[in-house]
Amino acid sequence: MTGIGRPKPPPVKELNGWQYLGWHCCWCDKALRMRARSAGRAEGHSGAHDLSIEVYECAPPCPERPAEIEPK
């Protein structure tokens, strides 16, 4: 695979309740009104329980989103 990859979203343990529920941007914590897009899957576990969830970011891309990463 070539090109630039998207940064991974923050882990579940770093999200607040609104971000976890998909109501706020996972990067800047601003409320998502009409325009939002998937930022990917925030990973997290509590013992044997998988707490991973799809999280969202501002659209166009959030200004606080980390820079794209080069694939290895």
Side-chain angles (χ1 to χ4, degrees):
M1 177 181 224
T2 61
I4 297 176
R6 292 176 60 181
K8 290 184 80 170
V12 167
K13 65 182 179 184
E14 294 180 12
L15 302 175
N16 65 37
W18 295 113
Q19 291 169 315
Y20 186 81
L21 292 172
W23 288 65
H24 285 195
C25 175
C26 69
W27 306 114
C28 68
D29 196 28
K30 289 183 182 172
L32 299 172
R33 302 275 189 236
M34 300 282 283
R35 298 187 59 176
R37 66 185 206 162
S38 172
R41 186 171 174 86
E43 301 291 330
H45 293 85
S46 178
H49 303 282
D50 185 7
L51 303 175
S52 302
I53 193 163
E54 187 79 15
V55 291
Y56 300 91
E57 65 181 344
C58 307
C62 179
E64 294 189 31
R65 176 184 178 189
E68 276 75 12
I69 53 175
E70 292 289 332
K72 292 182 179 184

